[in-house]
Amino acid sequence: MLELLIQTDDAWRVDGRCNDNAGTMTHLFFSDKIHHISRAKAICAKCTVATECLDAAERRRERWGVWGGELIE
């Protein structure tokens, strides 16, 4: 079983392809560089919780970043 190191109400986040519990990919998801954005979207494309991620971002009214494979600006 994968241990949850980050406190969150969204248990699905543990399964996110972007979640390495170290934040090493954060720069890809919050960048203005097209190659970073493309890489983030590619990571999301194979993620099993991308729908949940995008739904949660929309509920939180995120203003920026790649969430569930979509760029929010």
Side-chain angles (χ1 to χ4, degrees):
M1 181 175 167
L2 184 59
E3 183 179 347
L4 179 61
L5 300 177
I6 298 172
Q7 294 295 323
T8 178
D9 292 333
D10 298 326
W12 56 264
R13 287 185 182 213
V14 175
D15 297 325
R17 290 189 75 225
C18 61
N19 181 11
D20 65 358
N21 283 320
T24 61
M25 291 187 268
T26 302
H27 70 284
L28 298 175
F29 292 85
F30 298 97
S31 177
D32 58 357
K33 297 178 180 174
I34 193 70
H35 63 280
H36 287 171
I37 294 167
S38 295
R39 181 69 183 126
K41 286 182 172 186
I43 291 168
C44 293
K46 295 181 181 178
C47 185
T48 60
V49 295
T51 300
E52 291 89 338
C53 178
L54 181 58
D55 290 346
E58 289 173 344
R59 278 193 310 276
R60 288 190 310 272
R61 297 181 186 192
E62 292 290 347
R63 295 178 180 224
W64 187 57
V66 176
W67 300 93
E70 298 294 326
L71 176 61
I72 297 174
E73 313 183 79

